[in-house]
Amino acid sequence: MTLYLLSIYQPDGPPPPQEILEPIMRNLDEINKEMKASGAWVFAGGLHPPSTATVVRVKEGQLLTTDGPFAEGKEHIGGFTVIQAADLDEALKWGAKLARAITLPIEVRPFHGDPRHDMCMRG
């Protein structure tokens, strides 16, 4: 099984009003339950707004930190789900279900190797 990152892209700005957000959150809860029941779900989380980000980089040997997101844009990653799937087709099916449930674009991307195995090997 390969691990895939399902990144949720959301528009910048305040969250939608409660009457719109509430059914979306119910749909998301149902998809998460379905993923867990199938054994695909590994981990998921929502993120604070991009304004809470700090970028760390090295430039000319000096460590620099900058408040705010790495890149300015009209969208940002608002949350993510890590799943395990037999192949890209299966991962795309989960991505499609998630996109339908929350009405936002989902980027599906495989991990290199298996981070769970790599973490165990370091320990």
Side-chain angles (χ1 to χ4, degrees):
M1 296 291 254
T2 301
L3 292 181
Y4 290 87
L5 176 66
L6 308 181
S7 301
I8 301 166
Y9 285 91
Q10 68 184 57
D12 283 339
Q18 191 61 28
E19 64 270 10
I20 294 173
L21 190 58
E22 190 175 303
I24 290 171
M25 296 309 290
R26 276 196 313 267
N27 293 341
L28 177 58
D29 186 51
E30 288 302 313
I31 293 296
N32 283 334
K33 286 178 184 175
E34 185 180 347
M35 286 183 192
K36 287 176 184 178
S38 75
W41 189 90
V42 175
F43 180 79
L47 301 172
H48 286 280
S51 61
T52 65
T54 302
V55 177
V56 180
R57 73 181 86 212
V58 176
K59 185 174 183 180
E60 298 175 7
Q62 298 294 314
L63 182 64
L64 302 174
T65 59
T66 308
D67 291 339
F70 175 72
E72 296 293 325
K74 295 181 181 182
E75 295 181 324
H76 62 274
I77 297 176
F80 62 91
T81 300
V82 176
I83 63 167
Q84 57 184 0
D87 54 30
L88 179 60
D89 289 337
E90 183 180 332
L92 289 173
K93 287 178 185 175
W94 285 117
K97 285 184 179 198
L98 189 56
R100 280 190 206 97
I102 63 174
T103 68
L104 292 171
I106 306 298
E107 178 181 298
V108 178
R109 187 184 293 190
F111 279 83
H112 279 289
D114 187 335
R116 295 168 300 185
H117 174 71
D118 295 342
M119 289 174 62
C120 293
M121 297 303 288
R122 286 186 214 134

mmCIF file of all heavy atoms in Angstrom, residues 1 6 25-45 80-85 90 94 97-98:
data_model
loop_
_atom_site.group_PDB
_atom_site.id
_atom_site.type_symbol
_atom_site.label_atom_id
_atom_site.label_comp_id
_atom_site.label_asym_id
_atom_site.label_seq_id
_atom_site.Cartn_x
_atom_site.Cartn_y
_atom_site.Cartn_z
ATOM 1 N N MET A 1 0.844 -1.190 0.000
ATOM 2 C CA MET A 1 0.000 0.000 0.000
ATOM 3 C C MET A 1 0.882 1.244 0.000
ATOM 4 O O MET A 1 1.866 1.318 0.717
ATOM 5 C CB MET A 1 -0.880 0.027 1.251
ATOM 6 C CG MET A 1 -1.878 -1.112 1.345
ATOM 7 S SD MET A 1 -3.157 -0.960 0.129
ATOM 8 C CE MET A 1 -4.505 -0.436 1.119
ATOM 9 N N LEU A 6 -3.786 13.890 0.570
ATOM 10 C CA LEU A 6 -4.922 14.568 -0.052
ATOM 11 C C LEU A 6 -4.961 15.967 0.535
ATOM 12 O O LEU A 6 -5.377 16.156 1.678
ATOM 13 C CB LEU A 6 -6.235 13.828 0.240
ATOM 14 C CG LEU A 6 -6.279 12.328 -0.065
ATOM 15 C CD1 LEU A 6 -7.657 11.765 0.255
ATOM 16 C CD2 LEU A 6 -5.892 12.034 -1.491
ATOM 17 N N MET A 25 -19.094 20.197 6.955
ATOM 18 C CA MET A 25 -18.406 19.493 8.039
ATOM 19 C C MET A 25 -19.060 18.134 8.316
ATOM 20 O O MET A 25 -18.368 17.158 8.624
ATOM 21 C CB MET A 25 -18.365 20.347 9.302
ATOM 22 C CG MET A 25 -17.541 21.632 9.129
ATOM 23 S SD MET A 25 -15.887 21.367 8.444
ATOM 24 C CE MET A 25 -15.090 20.541 9.794
ATOM 25 N N ARG A 26 -20.379 18.062 8.189
ATOM 26 C CA ARG A 26 -21.059 16.760 8.330
ATOM 27 C C ARG A 26 -20.611 15.806 7.230
ATOM 28 O O ARG A 26 -20.342 14.631 7.470
ATOM 29 C CB ARG A 26 -22.580 16.940 8.290
ATOM 30 C CG ARG A 26 -23.185 17.310 9.615
ATOM 31 C CD ARG A 26 -24.697 17.100 9.634
ATOM 32 N NE ARG A 26 -25.389 17.647 8.467
ATOM 33 C CZ ARG A 26 -25.911 18.862 8.406
ATOM 34 N NH1 ARG A 26 -25.835 19.691 9.417
ATOM 35 N NH2 ARG A 26 -26.523 19.277 7.305
ATOM 36 N N ASN A 27 -20.542 16.317 5.983
ATOM 37 C CA ASN A 27 -20.083 15.499 4.865
ATOM 38 C C ASN A 27 -18.657 15.019 5.083
ATOM 39 O O ASN A 27 -18.341 13.851 4.820
ATOM 40 C CB ASN A 27 -20.164 16.284 3.552
ATOM 41 C CG ASN A 27 -21.580 16.589 3.130
ATOM 42 O OD1 ASN A 27 -22.529 15.969 3.585
ATOM 43 N ND2 ASN A 27 -21.717 17.567 2.264
ATOM 44 N N LEU A 28 -17.797 15.910 5.561
ATOM 45 C CA LEU A 28 -16.405 15.554 5.835
ATOM 46 C C LEU A 28 -16.336 14.467 6.904
ATOM 47 O O LEU A 28 -15.579 13.501 6.770
ATOM 48 C CB LEU A 28 -15.612 16.782 6.273
ATOM 49 C CG LEU A 28 -14.156 16.555 6.651
ATOM 50 C CD1 LEU A 28 -13.375 15.936 5.502
ATOM 51 C CD2 LEU A 28 -13.530 17.866 7.110
ATOM 52 N N ASP A 29 -17.135 14.577 7.933
ATOM 53 C CA ASP A 29 -17.162 13.561 8.987
ATOM 54 C C ASP A 29 -17.570 12.200 8.423
ATOM 55 O O ASP A 29 -16.985 11.173 8.772
ATOM 56 C CB ASP A 29 -18.115 13.994 10.111
ATOM 57 C CG ASP A 29 -18.075 13.061 11.295
ATOM 58 O OD1 ASP A 29 -16.956 12.769 11.788
ATOM 59 O OD2 ASP A 29 -19.150 12.608 11.722
ATOM 60 N N GLU A 30 -18.534 12.192 7.517
ATOM 61 C CA GLU A 30 -18.979 10.930 6.903
ATOM 62 C C GLU A 30 -17.875 10.310 6.046
ATOM 63 O O GLU A 30 -17.662 9.098 6.093
ATOM 64 C CB GLU A 30 -20.249 11.147 6.071
ATOM 65 C CG GLU A 30 -21.481 11.399 6.906
ATOM 66 C CD GLU A 30 -21.780 10.277 7.882
ATOM 67 O OE1 GLU A 30 -21.741 9.088 7.478
ATOM 68 O OE2 GLU A 30 -22.031 10.586 9.068
ATOM 69 N N ILE A 31 -17.180 11.127 5.267
ATOM 70 C CA ILE A 31 -16.083 10.613 4.437
ATOM 71 C C ILE A 31 -14.982 10.056 5.334
ATOM 72 O O ILE A 31 -14.426 8.985 5.066
ATOM 73 C CB ILE A 31 -15.519 11.707 3.500
ATOM 74 C CG1 ILE A 31 -16.556 12.099 2.459
ATOM 75 C CG2 ILE A 31 -14.216 11.254 2.841
ATOM 76 C CD1 ILE A 31 -16.949 10.999 1.506
ATOM 77 N N ASN A 32 -14.641 10.774 6.410
ATOM 78 C CA ASN A 32 -13.615 10.279 7.335
ATOM 79 C C ASN A 32 -14.023 8.938 7.947
ATOM 80 O O ASN A 32 -13.197 8.027 8.060
ATOM 81 C CB ASN A 32 -13.311 11.301 8.422
ATOM 82 C CG ASN A 32 -12.447 12.437 7.932
ATOM 83 O OD1 ASN A 32 -11.682 12.280 6.983
ATOM 84 N ND2 ASN A 32 -12.557 13.582 8.567
ATOM 85 N N LYS A 33 -15.283 8.802 8.318
ATOM 86 C CA LYS A 33 -15.775 7.531 8.861
ATOM 87 C C LYS A 33 -15.657 6.416 7.822
ATOM 88 O O LYS A 33 -15.261 5.298 8.137
ATOM 89 C CB LYS A 33 -17.231 7.664 9.322
ATOM 90 C CG LYS A 33 -17.394 8.435 10.605
ATOM 91 C CD LYS A 33 -18.866 8.567 10.971
ATOM 92 C CE LYS A 33 -19.033 9.426 12.219
ATOM 93 N NZ LYS A 33 -20.450 9.660 12.531
ATOM 94 N N GLU A 34 -16.008 6.735 6.571
ATOM 95 C CA GLU A 34 -15.921 5.749 5.486
ATOM 96 C C GLU A 34 -14.469 5.337 5.252
ATOM 97 O O GLU A 34 -14.160 4.154 5.077
ATOM 98 C CB GLU A 34 -16.540 6.321 4.212
ATOM 99 C CG GLU A 34 -16.616 5.340 3.080
ATOM 100 C CD GLU A 34 -17.233 5.937 1.821
ATOM 101 O OE1 GLU A 34 -17.832 7.042 1.869
ATOM 102 O OE2 GLU A 34 -17.103 5.299 0.759
ATOM 103 N N MET A 35 -13.560 6.311 5.248
ATOM 104 C CA MET A 35 -12.132 6.006 5.063
ATOM 105 C C MET A 35 -11.610 5.129 6.199
ATOM 106 O O MET A 35 -10.863 4.179 5.969
ATOM 107 C CB MET A 35 -11.306 7.292 4.990
ATOM 108 C CG MET A 35 -11.431 8.046 3.707
ATOM 109 S SD MET A 35 -10.314 9.486 3.770
ATOM 110 C CE MET A 35 -10.882 10.390 2.364
ATOM 111 N N LYS A 36 -12.002 5.454 7.431
ATOM 112 C CA LYS A 36 -11.562 4.669 8.586
ATOM 113 C C LYS A 36 -12.098 3.243 8.505
ATOM 114 O O LYS A 36 -11.362 2.286 8.756
ATOM 115 C CB LYS A 36 -12.010 5.342 9.884
ATOM 116 C CG LYS A 36 -11.223 6.594 10.194
ATOM 117 C CD LYS A 36 -11.761 7.297 11.433
ATOM 118 C CE LYS A 36 -11.014 8.599 11.681
ATOM 119 N NZ LYS A 36 -11.533 9.323 12.850
ATOM 120 N N ALA A 37 -13.368 3.107 8.156
ATOM 121 C CA ALA A 37 -13.977 1.776 8.068
ATOM 122 C C ALA A 37 -13.307 0.918 6.998
ATOM 123 O O ALA A 37 -13.190 -0.298 7.159
ATOM 124 C CB ALA A 37 -15.479 1.904 7.787
ATOM 125 N N SER A 38 -12.831 1.556 5.925
ATOM 126 C CA SER A 38 -12.199 0.807 4.833
ATOM 127 C C SER A 38 -10.729 0.498 5.122
ATOM 128 O O SER A 38 -10.118 -0.290 4.411
ATOM 129 C CB SER A 38 -12.289 1.595 3.528
ATOM 130 O OG SER A 38 -11.358 2.661 3.544
ATOM 131 N N GLY A 39 -10.163 1.148 6.135
ATOM 132 C CA GLY A 39 -8.747 0.973 6.436
ATOM 133 C C GLY A 39 -7.845 1.910 5.659
ATOM 134 O O GLY A 39 -6.626 1.838 5.765
ATOM 135 N N ALA A 40 -8.422 2.832 4.874
ATOM 136 C CA ALA A 40 -7.625 3.756 4.071
ATOM 137 C C ALA A 40 -7.094 4.933 4.897
ATOM 138 O O ALA A 40 -6.003 5.421 4.650
ATOM 139 C CB ALA A 40 -8.449 4.293 2.898
ATOM 140 N N TRP A 41 -7.851 5.388 5.890
ATOM 141 C CA TRP A 41 -7.520 6.594 6.655
ATOM 142 C C TRP A 41 -6.301 6.352 7.531
ATOM 143 O O TRP A 41 -6.223 5.360 8.247
ATOM 144 C CB TRP A 41 -8.719 6.973 7.524
ATOM 145 C CG TRP A 41 -8.635 8.302 8.204
ATOM 146 C CD1 TRP A 41 -9.069 9.489 7.714
ATOM 147 C CD2 TRP A 41 -8.126 8.574 9.504
ATOM 148 N NE1 TRP A 41 -8.855 10.484 8.633
ATOM 149 C CE2 TRP A 41 -8.275 9.945 9.744
ATOM 150 C CE3 TRP A 41 -7.551 7.796 10.502
ATOM 151 C CZ2 TRP A 41 -7.876 10.563 10.928
ATOM 152 C CZ3 TRP A 41 -7.148 8.388 11.676
ATOM 153 C CH2 TRP A 41 -7.318 9.767 11.882
ATOM 154 N N VAL A 42 -5.338 7.262 7.468
ATOM 155 C CA VAL A 42 -4.154 7.193 8.320
ATOM 156 C C VAL A 42 -4.135 8.358 9.293
ATOM 157 O O VAL A 42 -3.956 8.179 10.495
ATOM 158 C CB VAL A 42 -2.850 7.185 7.480
ATOM 159 C CG1 VAL A 42 -1.616 7.229 8.366
ATOM 160 C CG2 VAL A 42 -2.812 5.964 6.568
ATOM 161 N N PHE A 43 -4.349 9.580 8.773
ATOM 162 C CA PHE A 43 -4.253 10.774 9.603
ATOM 163 C C PHE A 43 -4.886 11.934 8.844
ATOM 164 O O PHE A 43 -4.826 11.973 7.616
ATOM 165 C CB PHE A 43 -2.777 11.069 9.884
ATOM 166 C CG PHE A 43 -2.534 12.280 10.724
ATOM 167 C CD1 PHE A 43 -2.696 12.240 12.084
ATOM 168 C CD2 PHE A 43 -2.129 13.481 10.142
ATOM 169 C CE1 PHE A 43 -2.467 13.355 12.870
ATOM 170 C CE2 PHE A 43 -1.898 14.607 10.916
ATOM 171 C CZ PHE A 43 -2.068 14.544 12.288
ATOM 172 N N ALA A 44 -5.485 12.864 9.571
ATOM 173 C CA ALA A 44 -6.061 14.049 8.927
ATOM 174 C C ALA A 44 -5.978 15.224 9.886
ATOM 175 O O ALA A 44 -5.878 15.039 11.103
ATOM 176 C CB ALA A 44 -7.518 13.794 8.531
ATOM 177 N N GLY A 45 -6.028 16.419 9.330
ATOM 178 C CA GLY A 45 -6.030 17.605 10.174
ATOM 179 C C GLY A 45 -6.350 18.853 9.393
ATOM 180 O O GLY A 45 -6.092 18.939 8.194
ATOM 181 N N PHE A 80 -5.684 18.558 5.371
ATOM 182 C CA PHE A 80 -5.144 17.437 4.618
ATOM 183 C C PHE A 80 -5.604 16.129 5.237
ATOM 184 O O PHE A 80 -6.019 16.074 6.392
ATOM 185 C CB PHE A 80 -3.612 17.472 4.591
ATOM 186 C CG PHE A 80 -3.016 17.360 5.970
ATOM 187 C CD1 PHE A 80 -2.689 16.129 6.494
ATOM 188 C CD2 PHE A 80 -2.813 18.489 6.728
ATOM 189 C CE1 PHE A 80 -2.174 16.023 7.776
ATOM 190 C CE2 PHE A 80 -2.289 18.394 8.007
ATOM 191 C CZ PHE A 80 -1.968 17.152 8.526
ATOM 192 N N THR A 81 -5.510 15.087 4.442
ATOM 193 C CA THR A 81 -5.750 13.722 4.899
ATOM 194 C C THR A 81 -4.652 12.857 4.314
ATOM 195 O O THR A 81 -4.310 13.007 3.137
ATOM 196 C CB THR A 81 -7.120 13.208 4.420
ATOM 197 O OG1 THR A 81 -8.146 14.049 4.944
ATOM 198 C CG2 THR A 81 -7.375 11.775 4.873
ATOM 199 N N VAL A 82 -4.097 11.989 5.126
ATOM 200 C CA VAL A 82 -3.140 11.002 4.644
ATOM 201 C C VAL A 82 -3.882 9.675 4.593
ATOM 202 O O VAL A 82 -4.525 9.277 5.569
ATOM 203 C CB VAL A 82 -1.903 10.893 5.573
ATOM 204 C CG1 VAL A 82 -0.965 9.797 5.100
ATOM 205 C CG2 VAL A 82 -1.182 12.235 5.639
ATOM 206 N N ILE A 83 -3.824 9.019 3.434
ATOM 207 C CA ILE A 83 -4.489 7.725 3.269
ATOM 208 C C ILE A 83 -3.475 6.698 2.775
ATOM 209 O O ILE A 83 -2.402 7.062 2.287
ATOM 210 C CB ILE A 83 -5.672 7.792 2.280
ATOM 211 C CG1 ILE A 83 -5.189 8.179 0.866
ATOM 212 C CG2 ILE A 83 -6.754 8.734 2.775
ATOM 213 C CD1 ILE A 83 -6.223 7.977 -0.224
ATOM 214 N N GLN A 84 -3.843 5.447 2.883
ATOM 215 C CA GLN A 84 -3.094 4.387 2.221
ATOM 216 C C GLN A 84 -4.017 3.776 1.186
ATOM 217 O O GLN A 84 -5.196 3.566 1.435
ATOM 218 C CB GLN A 84 -2.588 3.348 3.207
ATOM 219 C CG GLN A 84 -3.650 2.686 4.041
ATOM 220 C CD GLN A 84 -3.047 1.741 5.074
ATOM 221 O OE1 GLN A 84 -1.841 1.579 5.171
ATOM 222 N NE2 GLN A 84 -3.903 1.115 5.838
ATOM 223 N N ALA A 85 -3.459 3.556 -0.004
ATOM 224 C CA ALA A 85 -4.252 3.024 -1.108
ATOM 225 C C ALA A 85 -3.387 2.085 -1.937
ATOM 226 O O ALA A 85 -2.164 2.227 -1.986
ATOM 227 C CB ALA A 85 -4.773 4.170 -1.978
ATOM 228 N N GLU A 90 -7.175 4.199 -6.818
ATOM 229 C CA GLU A 90 -7.910 4.128 -5.546
ATOM 230 C C GLU A 90 -7.789 5.445 -4.784
ATOM 231 O O GLU A 90 -8.774 5.949 -4.230
ATOM 232 C CB GLU A 90 -7.376 2.976 -4.692
ATOM 233 C CG GLU A 90 -8.135 2.794 -3.396
ATOM 234 C CD GLU A 90 -7.592 1.645 -2.554
ATOM 235 O OE1 GLU A 90 -7.025 0.683 -3.110
ATOM 236 O OE2 GLU A 90 -7.731 1.724 -1.318
ATOM 237 N N TRP A 94 -10.808 8.317 -3.526
ATOM 238 C CA TRP A 94 -10.978 8.974 -2.225
ATOM 239 C C TRP A 94 -10.899 10.490 -2.387
ATOM 240 O O TRP A 94 -11.664 11.228 -1.766
ATOM 241 C CB TRP A 94 -9.941 8.479 -1.231
ATOM 242 C CG TRP A 94 -10.230 7.113 -0.713
ATOM 243 C CD1 TRP A 94 -9.467 5.993 -0.878
ATOM 244 C CD2 TRP A 94 -11.363 6.700 0.051
ATOM 245 N NE1 TRP A 94 -10.062 4.919 -0.268
ATOM 246 C CE2 TRP A 94 -11.230 5.320 0.310
ATOM 247 C CE3 TRP A 94 -12.492 7.357 0.541
ATOM 248 C CZ2 TRP A 94 -12.170 4.600 1.046
ATOM 249 C CZ3 TRP A 94 -13.437 6.639 1.265
ATOM 250 C CH2 TRP A 94 -13.272 5.278 1.508
ATOM 251 N N LYS A 97 -14.217 11.695 -3.694
ATOM 252 C CA LYS A 97 -15.253 11.699 -2.643
ATOM 253 C C LYS A 97 -15.062 12.886 -1.710
ATOM 254 O O LYS A 97 -16.031 13.542 -1.325
ATOM 255 C CB LYS A 97 -15.202 10.392 -1.843
ATOM 256 C CG LYS A 97 -15.760 9.212 -2.573
ATOM 257 C CD LYS A 97 -15.772 7.989 -1.681
ATOM 258 C CE LYS A 97 -16.362 6.805 -2.431
ATOM 259 N NZ LYS A 97 -16.780 5.734 -1.533
ATOM 260 N N LEU A 98 -13.816 13.161 -1.367
ATOM 261 C CA LEU A 98 -13.527 14.287 -0.487
ATOM 262 C C LEU A 98 -13.882 15.605 -1.171
ATOM 263 O O LEU A 98 -14.494 16.487 -0.559
ATOM 264 C CB LEU A 98 -12.039 14.250 -0.094
ATOM 265 C CG LEU A 98 -11.574 15.203 0.985
ATOM 266 C CD1 LEU A 98 -12.375 15.029 2.271
ATOM 267 C CD2 LEU A 98 -10.092 14.987 1.254
#
